[in-house]
Amino acid sequence: MARLPTDVETEIDRFCNNIKQNTYTRSVDIALATIYILKKLIGESKWSNASELITLIRSQAHRLNQGQPVDSITFNITRRILKLIREVSVRIIHGKNEGSDISLTLQAVLNDRTATSTINDDDHTEENLQPKKQQTQNSITETNPINNIEGGVSVLRLKPELMDDLNWYSSEIELSVKNLSQQALAHIHANELILTLGYSYTVEQFFKYAASKKRQFHVFILEHAPFFTGHKMAINLSQLNIPVTVVTDSAVFAIMARVNKIVIGTRSLLANGGLTAKSGTYNLALAAKHYNVPLLVCAPTYKFSPTYLPSFDPVMCNSFPSPENILSYESIFQSSLDIVVPMHDYVPPELVTLIIGSGMGNAPSYVYRIVSELYSAEDNDLERLQKESLK
């Protein structure tokens, strides 16, 4: 593997340090920073074809995701760009324009070549057609695997089109929260009482858009102890004259009967429709299920992950900040207590009512279809490879 340019190495190191120091306050900032680094890697690194570029990006994926035990945003952005590389490669090979109605995949290329080779064969009898087609397909698969198709696209043809697609993708990420918030009027109705947990930039914009359209509603905000990020949400919404009430986390079950719906954000949306969100979300979801209160999750598409998490591992899939907010280090009980402060909860899909993405809302059971359209199946193993490298 060729050595990365010094500027790219510096940008990657800076990005990793910013992640470890929690410099990025919003998830969209992490997504845009990841796109910027990968654009720099594509533009300044040495590679001769699409296959080499894919290998180069995959080799840096684990490094970029360091310090993100819960968030899969960097992996998701990397997967999406890898699929863009494959799509651009196929588009160049087939000469299809970006706006073509024909959806092409690399497997479609193989099937097309197989059919062409079979039809042009001299023997067209019915009994020989299927064997020859199977033989031809096996021959193509052996001699022209997918990597060879990607290897047939040179850097001179691939880079300009790929950069255009990456610029478009970056703009899509920047507008994702705005596009999501514009669905607020379809979900927030007049004089509703809506419950949320802590602070979420996406949920804040969701409420702000509804308020800007003169929709009247009241927001109950769980304060999200011990970090009390709900206070920030209350201040920001009250400045827009949105009626708010801050509620202690322990009162969530008591007030649930009065709530019309719940709107929350998420850190990562998994392929089975489950999600990882801030601590306290699981208790909130259980109370909502008991009272049959709809639970709506705001999740831009860059948070959709192809991974599954059937059971939440509090060690491998969480982060633990200092317990200073709960018990001071100067306390006389400090030496005799073990204090664990998990940052996130896992919420299974059966507790989620609706996923509000950048497009229309979808049921949790439909998330896997969206994921299959966003990413290529051969890139779904990035997290597994990272875990194996840590053993």
Side-chain angles (χ1 to χ4, degrees), residues 335-373:
S335 60
S336 59
L337 294 176
D338 291 331
I339 300 176
V340 180
V341 189
M343 287 286 290
H344 301 94
D345 280 347
Y346 170 66
V347 180
E350 56 267 21
L351 300 180
V352 179
T353 305
L354 189 69
I355 307 296
I356 305 175
S358 298
M360 59 183 294
N362 293 287
S365 58
Y366 193 75
V367 171
Y368 81 99
R369 289 290 303 273
I370 301 175
V371 167
S372 66
E373 295 174 0

Side-chain angles (χ1 to χ4, degrees), residues 25-26 196-205 208 221-224 228-234 236 265 267 278:
T25 57
R26 303 180 304 168
T196 189
L197 171 64
Y199 177 80
S200 167
Y201 173 75
T202 305
V203 175
E204 178 188 358
Q205 298 303 312
K208 282 185 176 181
I221 305 174
L222 297 177
E223 58 183 359
H224 186 218
F228 303 106
T229 59
H231 296 176
K232 177 181 178 181
M233 176 72 89
N236 292 353
R267 300 299 295 180
K278 55 177 64 69

Side-chain angles (χ1 to χ4, degrees), residues 293-362:
V293 176
L295 176 62
L296 280 58
V297 180
C298 296
T301 52
Y302 60 82
K303 292 187 178 182
F304 284 60
S305 174
T307 58
Y308 289 84
L309 190 62
S311 61
F312 187 72
D313 188 337
V315 177
M316 293 300 296
C317 304
N318 217 324
S319 56
F320 302 88
S322 169
E324 174 70 18
N325 292 327
I326 298 177
L327 183 68
S328 173
Y329 287 116
E330 299 177 357
S331 172
I332 60 175
F333 303 104
Q334 188 270 339
S335 60
S336 59
L337 294 176
D338 291 331
I339 300 176
V340 180
V341 189
M343 287 286 290
H344 301 94
D345 280 347
Y346 170 66
V347 180
E350 56 267 21
L351 300 180
V352 179
T353 305
L354 189 69
I355 307 296
I356 305 175
S358 298
M360 59 183 294
N362 293 287

Side-chain angles (χ1 to χ4, degrees), residues 76 79-80 83 301 304-306 371-377 380:
N76 294 340
R79 290 188 185 97
R80 183 58 183 157
K83 183 168 184 179
T301 52
F304 284 60
S305 174
V371 167
S372 66
E373 295 174 0
L374 290 174
Y375 315 118
S376 297
N380 291 347

Side-chain angles (χ1 to χ4, degrees), residues 72 109 221 263 312 321 390:
S72 58
V109 175
I221 305 174
V263 179
F312 187 72
L390 296 176

Side-chain angles (χ1 to χ4, degrees), residues 175-184 202-203 206 297-301 356-359:
L175 297 174
S176 59
V177 175
K178 179 181 178 181
N179 294 335
L180 187 151
S181 65
Q182 291 176 353
Q183 302 178 59
T202 305
V203 175
F206 193 77
V297 180
C298 296
T301 52
I356 305 175
S358 298

Side-chain angles (χ1 to χ4, degrees), residues 3-186:
R3 182 178 178 83
L4 294 179
T6 303
D7 291 346
V8 177
E9 291 278 1
T10 303
E11 290 294 339
I12 293 177
D13 290 339
R14 182 182 295 113
F15 174 80
C16 294
N17 290 333
N18 289 339
I19 290 292
K20 294 176 182 178
Q21 298 172 9
N22 294 321
T23 303
Y24 302 109
T25 57
R26 303 180 304 168
S27 57
V28 67
D29 296 330
I30 299 177
L32 292 174
T34 305
I35 296 176
Y36 170 77
I37 290 175
L38 292 178
K39 285 175 62 177
K40 198 173 185 65
L41 185 148
I42 294 171
E44 299 184 11
S45 300
K46 293 183 179 180
W47 49 276
S48 59
N49 53 53
S51 180
E52 291 185 7
L53 178 59
I54 289 174
T55 303
L56 177 62
I57 292 177
R58 286 176 63 93
S59 69
Q60 299 299 317
H62 303 154
R63 181 180 174 189
L64 290 172
N65 201 65
Q66 290 179 358
Q68 301 182 67
V70 176
D71 292 337
S72 58
I73 294 175
T74 298
F75 274 152
N76 294 340
I77 296 295
T78 303
R79 290 188 185 97
R80 183 58 183 157
I81 291 179
L82 289 174
K83 183 168 184 179
L84 286 177
I85 295 173
R86 295 183 174 96
E87 289 177 345
V88 173
S89 300
V90 173
R91 194 165 69 221
I92 292 175
I93 291 174
H94 266 250
K96 300 295 181 181
N97 295 326
E98 185 175 358
S100 175
D101 293 333
I102 301 177
S103 177
L104 293 174
T105 63
L106 291 176
Q107 187 60 43
V109 175
L110 293 176
N111 293 339
D112 186 37
R113 291 184 177 181
T114 301
T116 303
S117 178
T118 305
I119 292 174
N120 291 336
D121 196 282
D122 292 336
D123 190 356
H124 296 292
T125 60
E126 182 67 24
E127 59 273 16
N128 292 332
L129 182 60
Q130 187 63 30
K132 287 182 178 295
K133 180 176 181 179
Q134 185 64 37
Q135 181 180 2
T136 307
Q137 186 171 7
N138 294 338
S139 176
I140 291 177
T141 304
E142 293 174 359
T143 60
N144 294 304
I146 290 178
N147 287 340
N148 284 353
I149 295 177
E150 296 163 352
V153 183
S154 66
V155 59
L156 295 178
R157 299 183 64 190
L158 178 63
K159 183 180 290 187
E161 290 197 32
L162 180 59
M163 285 300 182
D164 288 341
D165 281 14
L166 291 180
N167 290 333
W168 168 83
Y169 183 46
S170 181
S171 300
E172 179 186 352
I173 296 295
E174 290 177 349
L175 297 174
S176 59
V177 175
K178 179 181 178 181
N179 294 335
L180 187 151
S181 65
Q182 291 176 353
Q183 302 178 59
L185 295 181

